[in-house]
Amino acid sequence: MISKQYLITGLIMGFIGIAMSLLFRMQLAWPGESFPVFEAVLGKWAPEGVMDADIYLALVTIHGTIMVFFVLTAGLSGTFSNLLIPLQIGARDMASGFLNMLSYWMFFLSSVIMVISLFVEAGPAAAGWTIYPPLSALPMAQPGSGMGMTLWLVSMAIFIASSLLGSLNYIVTVINLRTKGMSMTRLPLTIWAFFVTAIIGVISFPVLLSAALLLLMDRSFGTSFFLSDIFIQGEVLHYQGGSPVLFEHLFWFLGHPEVYIVILPAMGIVSEVMSVNARKPIFGYRAMIASILAIAFLSTIVWGHHMFISGMNPFLGSVFTFTTLLIAIPSAVKAFNWITTLWKGNLQLNPGMLFSIGMVSTFITGGLTGIILGDSTLDINVHDTYFVVAHFHLVMGISALYGLFAGVYHWFPKMFQGRMMNKNLGYVHFWVTAVGSYGVFFPMHFVGMAGVPRRYYENTAFPMFDELVDIQVLMTVFAIITAAAQLVFAFNFVRSIFYGKRGPQNPWQATTLEWTAPQEHIHGNWPGAIPEVHRWPYDYSKTYENGEYILPGQDYVPQHIPLQDEEEELQH
């Protein structure tokens, strides 16, 4: 139930985030044009249908915040950790049901506060989703620095508390509540990913909480943590001795592990869905675990690559370049292992599998540009241009969303009493989304290489960018088409909850424990004893030496089936 609550809340927030992106993409494609939809949605912020510059930055800010935290962090981890951890490790429930409930309702409260901040008189927070001071630290700096910013900080503080409660719960559950025989090396890769994601969250989220609290103090109590030598309209303010770069360090010390908190659950889901639908064991199971752990460790020592042009010591820049390029190694291990899992597989190309394969594509495409941005010298040219926006939308935004979609299509029957989502609508959703999202973010690289800066609400003041307006129009058209495809998904999702056709108990013929539990949701997951585990979770197409399947007529062996006569357990 908590998993469904997270998923549906996350999807609703996702549609709000997508709607905002369409508004500012229209402004970028047709700057200064009058649109009736602007006046209808934005009211006083779009007089006569022309978007105001202040609300443009606010839309970008809230779009980023909602998508990164409320959709991809809570929507992904919250949904699938709650659904799969107890079911796949063979536990009756989470370690603490109460903490679990508390973490959802705090997430819900923070979502409500974030949405309410859209309606305050001076407008929502408008300092970019990274909320750098002084824009975020001086309430008088701009309209979006007032009440909207305060609500943003309060919302994020509650969100972080929710995230920490959830993460502690996931960690304790995985360590303590595994069923008999479920050793750590027999865990599905989904559980490894959620487990390590929770650990990264516990380590890094408190740093953002401290940054938010210090920022609230600077704003409301006259301290100077992040402010120094500020003039407004010729008047000297009393702030002395703070440093905005300190805020950047605190923010990105969470902000970089955060992108791995977003992508690791998607990687775990993709590993699982891909193995099931290739009818093959995952390639390099232990290497996959090792790469998850390596990514988690490295994610905490690369944050400086967001700050190459903040005036940091060039030697420090080279250190961060080194650690950043190191993280490409475990990421590439995962990419090669996915491709090798697909190699010569008996591919079942259902929507979940298509989104998994799509995720590998966008992760590689987006990751390649990360090698450029991770180099302190090369980054100077493209820092804070659309090149960066293209990079992180592909590698973390689109990839994580594909992971989310793959998980929803795959585990929908587990969530909703055996009902299946419509496959043909799923194909429409995938192909339009796949073509559309590349259509938005591939051209964006070239706009960035031409030098167009991020977060400018129009570039009409720069004649050298005039010829790029056509590309902005192209991206906007693709964005509108891609958003329409998400409506197909929403229709399929809601309709399938009530009218989806019921599938068998194990619709994908998977080996993991969640498919041994009954379709109707009962207290404690399994009616009798919890199944014992006798093998790793990827015994697909396993045969005796004579080529016969281990279980006659069935190309998979569930985890709870004991080793058969003359069957060897392979060292994975």
Side-chain angles (χ1 to χ4, degrees), residues 274-281 338-349 353 357 540-541 555:
M274 193 174 277
S275 182
V276 173
N277 288 305
R279 311 311 294 163
K280 271 182 65 184
W338 285 322
I339 293 167
T340 321
T341 302
L342 292 171
W343 177 250
K344 291 192 174 180
N346 171 16
L347 304 186
Q348 315 292 311
L349 292 173
M353 179 63 153
I357 298 170
Y540 294 100
S541 305
D555 68 348

Side-chain angles (χ1 to χ4, degrees), residues 372-429:
I372 297 164
L373 293 167
D375 187 302
S376 55
T377 318
L378 298 176
D379 176 68
I380 294 170
N381 294 308
V382 284
H383 194 98
D384 258 335
T385 67
Y386 273 92
F387 194 82
V388 180
V389 182
H391 157 73
F392 74 77
H393 276 83
L394 278 177
V395 78
M396 137 183 149
I398 303 294
S399 299
L401 272 179
Y402 283 4
L404 177 78
F405 289 140
V408 170
Y409 283 107
H410 189 79
W411 281 290
F412 191 88
K414 198 74 235 156
M415 277 190 180
F416 296 102
Q417 277 90 4
R419 293 191 185 277
M420 310 281 285
M421 286 180 76
N422 182 304
K423 202 170 172 180
N424 291 335
L425 288 177
Y427 288 143
V428 172
H429 177 214

